Amino acid sequence: MASNFRHREILELARKEGKVTVEGLSKRYGVTVQTIRRDLAELTGAGQLERVHGGAVIPSGVVNIVYQQRRRLNARGKTAIAKACAKFIPNGASIFLNIGTSTEAVAQQLLDHENLMVVTNNLNTANILAANTSCKIILTAGVLRRSDGGLVGELTAELLKNFKFDFSILGCSAIDLDGDLLDFDNHEIMVSQTALKQSRHVMVVADHLKFKRTAPLKIFSLQDVNKLFTDAPLPGNLQEGCDQWGTEVVRV
């Protein structure tokens, strides 16, 4: 297979699975690991992938990944995380769900719950939960961010101050090795920080790729969170940190 065609397939696979590995690609295409390393080096040099140990992921940094691409990243892992998270939500609970593909996955898993009240600043989440006829849905005010259907800003944060949620289920763009949750948009961060203060229990849904990415702005720390749902062991000493903070880690 010509390398340019292989490059296209590698990129598509990285978007769907979240990560590609050197050994996996070598077996898939029947070529040497050296050939795959050259492929990944070229794609990394072009800014299309970011090298990690054993393979590569879609890059991030100071600009977030396009929302449609984020939806395809590790979709299977996000579904497993969402199912685990939804099991902790009782019928009749009040919930806040913020913007993100992981929280959208949780919304999908709440369709069979009864008598929920869900407040969200995510148009996509509201549309998903509209299929649950016993669910009361409250959309926040705010400035519409067309790229992902999010409502953000001071109006959004001010509205949340009127609520006391049983649960806030929050996603983020990245998690640092010291436990800080990170994002790209200060207006979105303002909303998540307010939800944290207005919640009895705070749950974070984050797949393993969030620990390989970075973003420039801090939301809060895992120290402030009751439960973290993820799909792989935590990197570095982060599990020890969560144990000290009393943050329960639920790994699917």
Side-chain angles (χ1 to χ4, degrees):
M1 178 182 291
S3 61
N4 58 334
F5 289 106
R6 192 166 58 242
H7 287 184
R8 292 176 195 171
E9 289 193 2
I10 289 172
L11 284 173
E12 184 59 27
L13 189 63
R15 293 186 183 108
K16 287 181 179 178
E17 301 297 330
K19 179 182 177 181
V20 290
T21 66
V22 172
E23 288 191 5
L25 292 173
S26 175
K27 292 177 182 178
R28 181 186 182 95
Y29 294 113
V31 297
T32 65
V33 293
Q34 289 80 7
T35 297
I36 294 299
R37 288 194 181 103
R38 284 195 295 270
D39 287 340
L40 297 183
E42 291 175 16
L43 290 167
T44 300
Q48 295 176 290
L49 287 179
E50 178 180 321
R51 285 303 303 270
V52 295
H53 180 70
V57 297
I58 297 294
S60 65
V62 295
V63 179
N64 206 354
I65 300 170
V66 175
Y67 201 69
Q68 292 302 327
Q69 291 183 3
R70 283 157 55 195
R71 274 186 168 149
R72 295 194 292 265
L73 287 174
N74 194 24
R76 187 179 303 173
K78 290 175 183 175
T79 298
I81 289 168
K83 287 180 179 178
C85 179
K87 289 179 181 178
F88 283 88
I89 305 299
N91 293 327
S94 60
I95 305 168
F96 175 74
L97 286 166
N98 73 345
I99 304 166
T101 57
S102 295
T103 48
E104 287 177 23
V106 175
Q108 194 71 44
Q109 299 303 320
L110 294 175
L111 289 178
D112 292 329
H113 281 55
E114 297 180 354
N115 301 316
L116 297 177
M117 185 189 78
V118 176
V119 179
T120 184
N121 63 330
N122 183 344
L123 296 180
N124 302 314
T125 290
N127 285 328
I128 291 168
L129 286 170
N132 183 341
T133 56
S134 75
C135 179
K136 182 177 183 180
I137 304 166
I138 300 174
L139 267 171
T140 68
V143 178
L144 175 63
R145 196 166 62 188
R146 288 180 174 83
S147 61
D148 58 9
L151 296 165
V152 296
E154 293 183 9
L155 283 174
T156 314
E158 283 299 314
L159 184 141
L160 295 188
K161 292 178 182 178
N162 295 305
F163 292 91
K164 188 69 175 183
F165 302 108
D166 294 322
F167 301 92
S168 272
I169 303 172
L170 306 173
C172 61
S173 292
I175 300 180
D176 206 36
L177 291 178
D178 63 2
D180 284 345
L181 281 74
L182 307 173
D183 223 311
F184 295 89
D185 186 342
N186 188 55
H187 294 95
E188 183 176 351
I189 287 172
M190 184 190 310
V191 175
S192 295
Q193 289 174 338
T194 304
L196 176 80
K197 296 175 183 176
Q198 302 302 118
S199 302
R200 296 183 178 91
H201 294 87
V202 177
M203 299 177 170
V204 168
V205 284
D207 73 343
H208 65 279
L209 295 176
K210 298 298 172 67
F211 298 96
K212 302 181 189 313
R213 302 182 62 203
T214 186
L217 301 174
K218 177 180 175 180
I219 313 172
F220 46 76
S221 168
L222 284 176
Q223 186 172 1
D224 306 312
V225 172
N226 298 105
K227 286 184 174 65
L228 166 66
F229 296 85
T230 190
D231 60 344
L234 301 187
N237 297 320
L238 196 48
Q239 180 65 61
E240 295 177 14
C242 287
D243 292 341
Q244 292 174 3
W245 300 327
T247 302
E248 182 182 355
V249 178
V250 180
R251 183 159 65 91
V252 299

